[in-house]
Amino acid sequence: MNFTHRPVLSSEVVEHLAVKDPQVYIDLTSGGGGHAELFISRYPKIKAVLIDRDLTAVDFLKNKFKDCSNVKVVKSNAGALDKILFLLKINRADIILADLGVSSHQLDTPSRGFSVKHDGLLDMRMDIEETTTALDFLKKVSEKELKKILSEYAQERESGRVARALKKAVSEGKKTTLELAEIVKNTKRFFPRGIDPATQVFMAIRMAVNNEMTELKKMLERSFATLSENGKMGVITFHSTEDRVVKNFFKDRKDLLPYYIEDKVDNIVPAGKVKVYKPVLPSEKEIEKNPRSRSAKLRILEKNY
Ligand SMILES: C[S@@+](CC[C@H](N)C(=O)[O-])C[C@H]1O[C@@H](n2cnc3c(N)ncnc32)[C@H](O)[C@@H]1O
């Protein structure tokens, strides 16, 4: 099977998440395994756990790493990291990566119904075993709730107008990506230059359908808890709503410190600290080669205790 996805910030991810002699790598959103492959070739003995909620990605990854006995591929929501590690009998990880959002493979496969450019039924499920498609979601959600979602997730200035138009369109039987993208385009009076007017609206619907913000918060909590002494976690975000969540999560962990523990004679002593690095952005060269990287931002946290 062909799986096209060019990993963003790839050399930066490997360089900034490097730790000494890592034993376990967890990729929470493995997609086509581009980042995972780089880590596995850099640390050939590392035990790698590759997670994705998309069956197509999982099948692809299983085949790609079929000769690597140190790689375990898991189909799951990354928010269930604690359960996955319990089943795999893994307590700690030295490097954890989450590269959020969708893969190019998902976006560019018309039948997955994610894209404003390719025609297909509006679906947008990352996990096709889930029952609610984006079309079902649009039919069920109230106009008021949809307005809130568009405004919170996509900072949509015309959320009320767009929500009303989308509700009307699906009640009249419109159901494909291109039909609904056209409705958004004809409804909006203002839109940013250079991107399709429906892009942000589609992104907000996708985030709601896949419950992405709740999953993100769970995966951050569970990753931090799993990180070993001197371990590093990196998160690549693609828009301000998810980036803010990651930024605040990292900041809160940093501000909590120093952590205190009891030593052998029951004294309370500082246990260590958490270091948060400056975000890393793609170079102009990368953006030119891969325009999808333009909004990527890599945040890194290191746990020194
Ligand atoms: C941007 S792609 C990752 C690409 C990957 N880093 C690579 O190098 O090919 C995002 C992937 O994460 C998956 N994904 C998004 N949210 C997830 C979640 N909460 N749990 C598991 N997988 C998730 C998507 O299905 C998609 O395959």
Side-chain angles (χ1 to χ4, degrees), residues 3-8 10 25 27-38 51-58 60-61 64 74-80 84 97-106 112 114 125-127 206 210-212 214-216 219 236 238:
F3 193 108
T4 38
H5 180 85
R6 195 195 282 247
V8 301
S10 51
Y25 166 68
D27 196 321
L28 298 166
T29 57
S30 308
H35 288 116
E37 190 171 27
L38 295 171
I51 302 168
D52 204 291
R53 65 201 283 196
D54 184 326
L55 201 57
T56 316
V58 166
F60 177 79
L61 290 163
K64 179 170 178 155
V74 181
K75 180 192 170 291
S76 173
N77 228 316
I84 299 168
L97 174 68
D99 174 17
L100 301 175
V102 277
S103 66
S104 305
H105 182 77
Q106 289 166 325
R112 300 296 301 269
F114 278 103
R125 287 169 299 165
M126 287 184 190
D127 177 356
R206 187 204 82 208
N210 294 289
N211 210 7
E212 290 179 33
T214 308
E215 286 305 318
L216 172 59
M219 71 170 96
I236 304 176
F238 289 87

Side-chain angles (χ1 to χ4, degrees), residues 76-85 215 218-219 222:
S76 173
N77 228 316
L81 182 64
D82 50 347
K83 296 191 189 82
I84 299 168
L85 296 184
E215 286 305 318
K218 280 198 221 163
M219 71 170 96
R222 288 162 193 179

Side-chain angles (χ1 to χ4, degrees), residues 102-278:
V102 277
S103 66
S104 305
H105 182 77
Q106 289 166 325
L107 266 181
D108 296 339
T109 306
S111 61
R112 300 296 301 269
F114 278 103
S115 170
V116 296
K117 292 204 183 89
H118 309 291
D119 207 15
L121 277 181
L122 189 77
D123 188 323
M124 296 190 174
R125 287 169 299 165
M126 287 184 190
D127 177 356
I128 52 162
E129 291 171 332
E130 295 281 343
T131 48
T132 307
T133 65
L135 185 61
D136 299 330
F137 166 79
L138 281 184
K139 285 181 185 163
K140 278 190 218 142
V141 71
S142 69
E143 188 181 314
K144 191 172 163 208
E145 181 64 15
L146 183 57
K147 174 177 187 286
K148 189 164 159 249
I149 286 167
L150 298 180
S151 145
E152 261 180 36
Y153 292 169
Q155 287 78 49
E156 175 54 60
R157 286 165 68 186
E158 299 177 271
S159 53
R161 284 169 65 82
V162 177
R164 200 170 320 123
L166 283 173
K167 285 296 293 175
K168 181 164 178 285
V170 292
S171 75
E172 288 168 353
K174 300 264 190 296
K175 51 184 175 217
T176 73
T177 47
L178 292 193
E179 281 172 339
L180 294 160
E182 187 69 13
I183 299 284
V184 176
K185 192 165 153 190
N186 294 337
T187 304
K188 280 176 61 136
R189 288 174 295 197
F190 313 98
F191 29 86
R193 271 200 213 158
I195 64 165
D196 188 288
T199 301
Q200 298 295 96
V201 168
F202 269 39
M203 182 194 74
I205 297 171
R206 187 204 82 208
M207 288 170 72
V209 169
N210 294 289
N211 210 7
E212 290 179 33
M213 298 314 283
T214 308
E215 286 305 318
L216 172 59
K217 287 174 193 158
K218 280 198 221 163
M219 71 170 96
L220 290 172
E221 289 283 356
R222 288 162 193 179
S223 298
F224 185 75
T226 305
L227 215 53
S228 62
E229 188 175 341
N230 298 325
K232 285 184 179 173
M233 64 192 265
V235 185
I236 304 176
T237 64
F238 289 87
H239 57 89
S240 57
T241 312
E242 59 188 14
D243 186 58
R244 201 172 318 115
V245 171
V246 179
K247 182 179 163 186
N248 290 336
F249 180 88
F250 282 12
K251 184 174 174 296
D252 287 350
R253 296 305 166 291
K254 188 168 168 249
D255 288 350
L256 265 177
L257 289 165
Y259 287 85
Y260 291 90
I261 50 167
E262 277 182 20
D263 69 7
K264 285 187 190 126
V265 284
D266 296 343
N267 289 323
I268 303 292
V269 293
K273 60 181 182 151
V274 166
K275 194 165 168 186
V276 174
Y277 292 83
K278 264 174 112 180

